[in-house]
Amino acid sequence: MLFEELGCTGVEFEHLEVIPASNTFSFTPKGKLEEYLLYAVVLRGNLARRYEEWGSMPFVKQVK
């Protein structure tokens, strides 16, 4: 119901009864959710590029 309220299409649910069991939702986002997810993908890509440039994350304090 949440996906439908957000205007998503192609909503599907799959439950696999294996060990460990898993539940998978598939959907096509629309509207503001689509914009938000595309923005998150861009941010993730930017962070990955920075990590590759720096060789590490300089803002993460290393604990010895």
Side-chain angles (χ1 to χ4, degrees):
M1 290 184 339
L2 176 61
F3 292 111
E4 291 172 359
E5 288 177 22
L6 292 171
C8 299
T9 59
V11 179
E12 296 180 13
F13 172 76
E14 181 181 22
H15 173 74
L16 297 177
E17 293 190 28
V18 295
I19 298 175
S22 69
N23 296 315
T24 304
F25 286 92
S26 300
F27 62 94
T28 302
K30 299 290 181 190
K32 289 195 180 279
L33 179 59
E34 181 179 24
E35 292 174 25
Y36 174 80
L37 293 174
L38 288 173
Y39 181 68
V41 167
V42 170
L43 286 178
R44 182 175 185 210
N46 289 343
L47 286 173
R49 276 193 300 284
R50 297 281 190 215
Y51 183 80
E52 289 173 7
E53 290 170 7
W54 295 330
S56 67
M57 292 294 192
F59 48 85
V60 176
K61 183 178 179 182
Q62 297 295 322
V63 179
K64 294 183 181 183

